[in-house]
Amino acid sequence: MNKITRLIANWLLICPLWAASAAQAEDNPYNGAPFPMERIAQPQIPAYSVKLTDFGGVADGRTLNTQAFAKAIAHLDKRGGGRLIVPFGVWYTGPIELKSHIELHLDDGALVLFSNNRADYPLVESFFEGVRSRRCMSPLTANQAEHIAITGNGVFNGNGQAWRPVKKGKLTSGQWSTLIKTGALNEKKDVWYPSDAIRDISNDKRYMEEAYRNNDDASWLKVHDFLRPVLLSFIGCKNILLDGPTFENSPSWNIHPLMCQNLIIRNVNIRNPWYAQNGDGLDLESCKNVLLQDCSLDVGDDAICIKSGRDKEGRDRGMPTENVIVTNCRVYHGHGGFVIGSEMSGGARNIWVNKCQFIGTDCGLRFKSTRGRGGVVEHIYVDQVGMANIPGDAIVFDLYYAGANAGNNKAEAHPVDETTPSFRDIHIRDIVCNGAARAAYINGLPEMPVKDVDISHSVFSSREGIILNRVDGITLKGLQIHTEQGEGITPKDLVKNVKVIK
């Protein structure tokens, strides 16, 4: 073999290796992260498997399998962990509680249908919207567990219609007529409830006030049915993998990791009816080191949401959600595609959203808070996001969330203290939006404007352009803003340090 032949042969050997290495580098979701981010290790699950049928499980869609799941998980826990396989079938069950070093795997065609009997969900110490509260036990739950996984191509259905109220205005007349043949209506007959008890508690604050005031079993049991759980609640867990399943029809929020570390969520479908009250998709609260990859969401409230506790309790917890990568995810219906807030009192930082699509979400990128929250949101990076058919704002910052709309140039400044929320150092680029009410609306506080934001190299087709209120430091570079009315960029109240670069 001459020298040239050897060179060609060596090149032919090297080319496939180089191509594979290049493809692997391109597919690496950590590549290009704008902050230091180590690869998150997958949970360690022992090589030992059992089937749910080994413990008396029956897949007829009628038999309650709560004890079969509990026995199987206890068996694995005693052996130091392993894999619980749920075969094809409809597995009707109450809550499932995972333990350390256990993987719950759904075979193809497996449907875990959670009980619609609210009595199957005991009250437990938990959290609600950023503060401690008793709640009904979640269908999928884990507390202080390590190395846990939920995998496979099956479905978890939370039977959320047994818990959730429904507003008349969100249904067609035919759907409404069918729905009200069961359950109960409020006095105005414009909200449906699954039961008289849920209606009465929802419409009389004294029930919940008594539960919080007395904080005894009897008072909490009175409001049991009102305390609808999230579908998946992991609290204080480490080294978590969710890979493959569909999580749908949750009583309240869908997936809620709280104070968790080292979390991988990939190839997951998260679904709720679009009218689902509090039907959030994924709420990452006070979590650290998270990869969300190749997921699809279609939900009834905020889709991908960053939280960190509410008001004083969140500030005292002092645990920001940090080191988060969201990549190649699709969001259909939702109040916001990617959201930070409003319970962000512990702060949020080092978050990168890239290569995502928001199709028909009420808003695209949604940042929200209000006075009293406190917390600092910073080092946020968003790039390569495509949006279409957005009824509201493609990008919105609103620090008057759930309060008076202060877009009227008359807002008065309040003293700055630990309760003042702060959004700063936020970088948004390579956005393409075809259809929105506004390209962007930024509405800070007079005492704490939104600071140091740059939006660059993006194209917006919207009814209105970019509206600025109470902003200190914004760079708008290389933007194409195609509006039906108004100016492309409109500064209103207390706007300074604006750079517009073509």
Side-chain angles (χ1 to χ4, degrees):
M1 183 181 292
N2 60 35
K3 185 175 181 181
I4 294 176
T5 305
R6 282 197 305 271
L7 286 172
I8 294 172
N10 289 337
W11 177 247
L12 291 174
L13 287 172
I14 292 170
C15 273
L17 298 175
W18 176 84
S21 176
Q24 185 177 11
E26 184 177 346
D27 292 341
N28 181 356
Y30 303 91
N31 274 356
F35 46 82
M37 181 79 174
E38 294 184 2
R39 182 183 292 270
I40 302 169
Q42 295 197 163
Q44 299 174 9
I45 308 295
Y48 173 72
S49 298
V50 296
K51 291 187 177 181
L52 188 59
T53 48
D54 299 335
F55 299 87
V58 180
D60 62 2
R62 296 172 56 86
T63 302
L64 192 66
N65 286 282
T66 311
Q67 289 305 310
F69 275 105
K71 288 177 182 177
I73 290 170
H75 170 80
L76 290 171
D77 186 39
K78 188 175 181 179
R79 287 184 58 99
R83 194 184 209 205
L84 173 56
I85 298 172
V86 181
F88 162 82
V90 179
W91 304 89
Y92 188 67
T93 184
I96 300 169
E97 184 173 6
L98 292 182
K99 302 294 185 180
S100 295
H101 295 280
I102 289 177
E103 175 185 352
L104 178 60
H105 177 82
L106 301 191
D107 276 350
D108 290 355
L111 166 60
V112 176
L113 179 63
F114 288 101
S115 167
N116 59 4
N117 182 0
R118 293 181 292 271
D120 289 335
Y121 302 86
L123 291 177
V124 295
E125 295 293 332
S126 188
F127 294 79
F128 176 67
E129 293 187 342
V131 297
R132 291 183 180 274
S133 173
R134 294 195 199 187
R135 306 295 294 178
C136 290
M137 187 176 185
S138 287
L140 289 164
T141 186
N143 202 321
Q144 309 300 320
E146 298 187 5
H147 298 282
I148 54 177
I150 300 178
T151 63
N153 295 319
V155 175
F156 294 96
N157 186 299
N159 242 325
Q161 70 278 1
W163 301 84
R164 293 189 307 262
V166 178
K167 295 178 180 177
K168 181 179 180 179
K170 293 191 173 185
L171 301 182
T172 65
S173 59
Q175 291 169 332
W176 182 252
S177 297
T178 300
L179 181 66
I180 61 176
K181 292 177 182 178
T182 61
L185 294 174
N186 66 344
E187 187 174 343
K188 293 182 179 180
K189 300 188 183 303
D190 60 356
V191 180
W192 173 90
Y193 300 90
S195 72
D196 290 342
I198 295 176
R199 176 197 59 195
D200 295 343
I201 298 164
S202 299
N203 290 281
D204 190 339
K205 294 181 179 180
R206 289 175 295 179
Y207 286 100
M208 287 302 299
E209 289 172 352
E210 179 183 346
Y212 278 106
R213 182 176 62 251
N214 297 340
N215 199 26
D216 56 25
D217 293 344
S219 299
W220 282 107
L221 282 172
K222 288 181 183 178
V223 296
H224 173 280
D225 288 5
F226 176 77
L227 301 173
R228 51 194 169 113
V230 301
L231 175 57
L232 183 152
S233 172
F234 286 174
I235 301 176
C237 297
K238 295 181 180 179
N239 305 314
I240 302 161
L241 172 66
L242 305 180
D243 190 352
T246 293
F247 300 87
E248 67 178 18
N249 199 15
S250 57
S252 182
W253 296 350
N254 201 309
I255 296 177
H256 181 211
L258 169 64
M259 296 183 285
C260 293
Q261 293 186 32
N262 306 331
L263 171 61
I264 299 171
I265 304 175
R266 65 187 180 210
N267 307 314
V268 162
N269 295 310
I270 300 173
R271 301 175 61 247
N272 273 332
W274 75 270
Y275 54 80
Q277 195 81 4
N278 305 114
D280 292 25
L282 169 66
D283 292 274
L284 295 169
E285 183 175 350
S286 295
C287 291
K288 184 176 182 179
N289 303 334
V290 180
L291 172 62
L292 179 67
Q293 181 181 14
D294 300 325
C295 293
S296 177
L297 300 95
D298 192 344
V299 296
D301 207 313
D302 290 329
I304 302 167
C305 195
I306 304 297
K307 298 179 181 290
S308 58
R310 190 175 78 210
D311 300 345
K312 186 178 186 303
E313 185 169 330
R315 295 192 299 272
D316 289 347
R317 181 196 298 166
M319 294 177 64
T321 292
E322 59 184 332
N323 301 343
V324 177
I325 295 176
V326 178
T327 184
N328 197 30
C329 292
R330 293 150 302 286
V331 179
Y332 296 97
H333 193 274
H335 289 182
F338 173 78
V339 182
I340 298 182
S342 70
E343 304 95 58
M344 38 60 68
S345 301
R349 63 191 178 214
N350 291 349
I351 297 171
W352 181 33
V353 179
N354 76 107
K355 299 177 182 176
C356 292
Q357 304 90 40
F358 304 151
I359 305 167
T361 57
D362 291 353
C363 297
L365 302 171
R366 188 182 190 196
F367 303 86
K368 56 180 178 175
S369 188
T370 190
R371 290 177 175 127
R373 293 284 192 259
V376 176
V377 173
E378 61 185 352
H379 313 319
I380 310 300
Y381 306 86
V382 181
D383 61 72
Q384 298 184 61
V385 173
M387 306 182 196
N389 305 322
I390 306 297
D393 301 311
I395 302 169
V396 58
F397 292 78
D398 189 2
L399 273 69
Y400 286 87
Y401 175 71
N405 183 1
N408 53 18
N409 301 347
K410 296 181 180 179
E412 296 182 359
H414 289 201
V416 174
D417 58 21
E418 71 276 5
T419 71
T420 307
S422 174
F423 285 70
R424 66 196 187 197
D425 191 18
I426 297 169
H427 310 273
I428 301 170
R429 62 175 293 142
D430 297 323
I431 308 298
V432 178
C433 176
N434 184 333
R438 289 181 292 205
Y441 178 58
I442 303 181
N443 190 32
L445 298 171
E447 68 271 18
M448 186 61 70
V450 176
K451 295 183 178 180
D452 302 325
V453 174
D454 65 76
I455 304 173
S456 63
H457 306 293
S458 298
V459 181
F460 300 94
S461 299
S462 54
R463 190 166 64 249
E464 298 182 62
I466 296 176
I467 311 298
L468 302 178
N469 262 320
R470 294 170 283 278
V471 180
D472 183 1
I474 183 167
T475 299
L476 305 171
K477 181 179 180 181
L479 301 186
Q480 298 179 43
I481 306 173
H482 306 282
T483 62
E484 297 176 11
Q485 61 189 51
E487 299 295 328
I489 301 167
T490 306
K492 285 193 171 182
D493 182 36
L494 298 177
V495 177
K496 59 184 180 179
N497 296 320
V498 177
K499 294 182 180 178
V500 179
I501 304 171
K502 293 184 178 180

